[in-house]
């Protein structure tokens, strides 16, 4: 059975939301102020005119937003062209109805006395003209903003996918070499390593939009470290400090595993006796800090491998930026004995004391 492709989201905002109603009311009031200030002074009471303009324009604005809210489920199923056309027509129709009702309620305002017939037509014409212009500008703004947002999301998705593809080979070849070396001398360990690699593959093929739970990411790191443990033996030691780790935290898939691999490649392998990799998680309230620490070898060996390390860190930083925007960061520091890579990611949580 052929499945229908999902419809793209409508370019119209959610007119049923509180924010949309507030913005429409604010814009309507600004329009009332502009119309009042644009009047040629003839000794009229401008505060009275402002109040009447505000009342009239707010009637139209709230009636239009109510109509668009009620019709939004239907409009959302249409193409952009028909959505814009029907929204425009509906807005003008509501404006015409509210204007006619307002004329009979407000009487001769805002026309000059003694010209009721001409004033009625002029009142309708002015109201419809202003409504047509404002509605056209608003729909154009909504459409351009929607296209810009969709293009930005597409670019971020493409960049995210490209970065993810660049990182995959980084760990794949080392894992395959380790499994190949285990096949003859320890088939059981080779089978376990193959299963661990399969989990890493499964994670790399998941949807990049959703990200993953921190607990799952750390489980992948454990699987990778088991593969490397077969290769390095007692030279590789791992210190996990995860007491403050919130299980609900999320981050891009395969963000920590490449950092752990770098820690092994740049910190453990150059040392004859190996060393300890320390992985810590700190809950800082609105942010979660994850640190990967490894021994710092002598400067000559470290400098020879510096470029590859920087490339992987740059890729991770871009993945975090694509996923979290400016709220996440990756920082690196080195002291005399250790190299530290620190991830700060936003963590939204409920306050239990609230």
């Amino acid at each position: 059975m052929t499945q229908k492709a999902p419809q793209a989201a409508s370019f119209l905002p959610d007119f049923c939301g509180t924010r949309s109603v507030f913005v429409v009311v604010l814009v309507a009031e600004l329009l009332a102020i502009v119309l009042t200030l644009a009047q040629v002074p003839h000794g009229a009471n401008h505060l009275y005119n402002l109040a009447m303009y505000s009342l009239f324009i707010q009637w139209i604005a709230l009636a239009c937003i109510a109509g668009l809210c009620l019709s939004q489920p239907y409009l959302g199923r249409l193409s952009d062209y028909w959505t814009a056309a029907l929204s425009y027509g509906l807005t003008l129709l509501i404006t015409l109805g509210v204007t006619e009702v307002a004329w009979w309620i407000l009487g001769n305002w805002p026309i000059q006395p003694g010209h009721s017939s001409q004033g009625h037509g002029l009142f309708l014409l002015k109201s419809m003209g202003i409504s047509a212009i404002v509605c056209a500008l608003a729909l154009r703004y909504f459409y351009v903003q929607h296209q810009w947002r969709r293009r930005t999301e597409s670019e971020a998705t493409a960049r995210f996918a490209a970065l993810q593809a660049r990182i995959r080979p980084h760990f794949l070849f080392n894992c395959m070499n380790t499994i190949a070396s285990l096949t003859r001398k320890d088939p059981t360990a080779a089978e376990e390593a193959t299963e661990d690699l399969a989990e890493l593959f499964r994670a790399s093929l998941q949807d990049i939009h959703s990200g993953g739970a921190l607990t799952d990411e750390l489980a992948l790191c454990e699987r990778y470290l088991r593969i490397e443990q077969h290769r390095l033996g007692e030279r590789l030691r791992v210190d996990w400090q995860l007491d403050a780790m919130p299980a609900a935290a999320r981050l891009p898939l395969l963000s920590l595993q490449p950092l752990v691999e770098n820690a092994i490649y740049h910190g453990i392998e150059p040392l004859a006796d190996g060393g300890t990799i320390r992985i810590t998680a700190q809950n800082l309230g609105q942010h979660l800090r994850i640190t990967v620490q490894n021994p710092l070898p002598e400067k000559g060996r470290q400098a020879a491998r510096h470029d590859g390390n920087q490339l992987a860190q740059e890729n991770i930083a871009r993945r975090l930026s694509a996923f979290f925007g400016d709220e996440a960061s990756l920082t690196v520091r080195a002291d005399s004995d250790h190299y530290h890579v620190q991830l700060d990611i936003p963590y939204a949580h409920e306050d239990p004391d609230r």
Side-chain angles (χ1 to χ4, degrees):
M1 186 172 77
T2 304
Q3 267 192 333
K4 208 175 185 182
Q7 293 272 355
S10 171
F11 70 90
L12 294 177
D14 180 17
F15 287 109
C16 300
T18 305
R19 180 179 178 183
S20 296
V21 174
F22 173 77
V23 171
V24 169
V25 170
L26 179 61
V27 171
E29 190 60 32
L30 291 176
L31 178 59
I33 294 173
V34 170
L35 292 176
T36 302
L37 294 177
Q39 286 184 336
V40 179
H42 287 294
N45 188 338
H46 292 291
L47 290 179
Y48 172 78
N49 282 344
L50 175 60
M52 297 302 290
Y53 272 128
S54 298
L55 178 63
F56 174 58
I57 295 174
Q58 292 294 353
W59 281 356
I60 295 178
L62 292 176
C64 287
I65 201 171
L68 291 171
C69 173
L70 294 174
S71 60
Q72 197 154 7
Y74 172 73
L75 293 174
R77 297 194 295 267
L78 304 177
S79 64
D80 288 345
Y81 174 81
W82 284 109
T83 298
L86 292 179
S87 299
Y88 192 64
L90 178 62
T91 302
L92 293 182
L93 184 62
I94 293 175
T95 300
L96 177 62
V98 174
T99 302
E100 187 65 26
V101 172
W103 170 260
W104 294 109
I105 294 178
L106 299 179
N108 283 337
W109 183 90
I111 65 168
Q112 297 296 326
H115 300 83
S116 55
S117 177
Q118 289 183 341
H120 184 197
L122 184 62
F123 183 44
L124 289 176
L125 183 62
K126 285 184 177 181
S127 299
M128 296 298 294
I130 293 174
S131 178
I133 294 173
V134 172
C135 181
L137 291 175
L139 289 174
R140 177 62 180 171
Y141 169 76
F142 294 147
Y143 180 77
V144 171
Q145 185 186 51
H146 176 73
Q147 293 298 317
W148 173 82
R149 187 186 301 113
R150 189 161 60 182
R151 183 169 59 252
T152 301
E153 291 174 353
S154 298
E155 291 173 355
T157 299
R159 185 171 71 250
F160 204 170
L163 292 172
Q164 191 177 41
R166 289 175 66 184
I167 290 177
R168 285 176 194 150
H170 189 66
F171 68 86
L172 173 60
F173 299 131
N174 285 344
C175 292
M176 294 300 294
N177 289 335
T178 300
I179 292 171
S181 66
L182 289 171
T183 302
R184 293 185 178 179
K185 65 179 181 181
D186 194 344
T188 302
E191 181 180 357
E192 180 186 72
T194 303
E195 293 174 353
D196 290 336
L197 180 58
E199 289 300 320
L200 291 171
F201 261 123
R202 185 175 293 109
S204 68
L205 294 174
Q206 290 182 14
D207 182 16
I208 61 175
H209 290 89
S210 59
L214 178 58
T215 51
D216 295 335
E217 184 72 13
L218 291 171
L220 290 175
C221 290
E222 290 179 352
R223 289 182 176 276
Y224 176 78
L225 287 169
R226 277 204 299 266
I227 295 174
E228 292 291 60
Q229 194 81 58
H230 293 304
R231 183 168 65 92
L232 299 173
E234 294 181 357
R235 293 176 58 203
L236 173 61
R237 297 176 293 277
V238 184
D239 180 16
W240 298 89
Q241 298 182 5
L242 306 175
D243 294 340
M245 181 192 69
R250 301 184 67 81
L251 74 168
L253 292 168
L254 297 176
S255 295
L256 292 181
Q257 185 275 331
L259 298 179
V260 174
E261 182 178 358
N262 277 346
I264 294 175
Y265 182 71
H266 298 278
I268 304 300
E269 287 187 359
L271 298 175
D273 297 331
T276 301
I277 294 176
R278 181 170 292 109
I279 303 172
T280 62
Q282 296 175 272
N283 192 342
L284 304 179
Q286 296 299 321
H287 281 75
L288 183 66
R289 176 168 295 170
I290 306 168
T291 305
V292 179
Q293 173 188 300
N294 60 269
L296 190 64
E298 60 182 275
K299 291 184 179 180
R301 294 178 180 176
Q302 184 69 9
R305 301 171 180 230
H306 181 70
D307 292 340
N309 197 17
Q310 289 294 327
L311 178 62
Q313 291 167 5
E314 181 182 351
N315 287 341
I316 297 294
R318 289 180 179 177
R319 286 163 62 85
L320 293 174
S321 177
F323 195 83
F324 293 113
D326 296 333
E327 296 185 73
S329 64
L330 183 148
T331 55
V332 175
R333 65 181 177 88
D335 53 36
S336 58
D337 299 319
H338 294 91
Y339 190 80
H340 309 261
V341 181
Q342 177 180 295
L343 302 181
D344 287 312
I345 60 175
Y347 168 54
H349 66 289
E350 295 293 332
D351 186 358
D353 297 327
R354 187 174 59 184

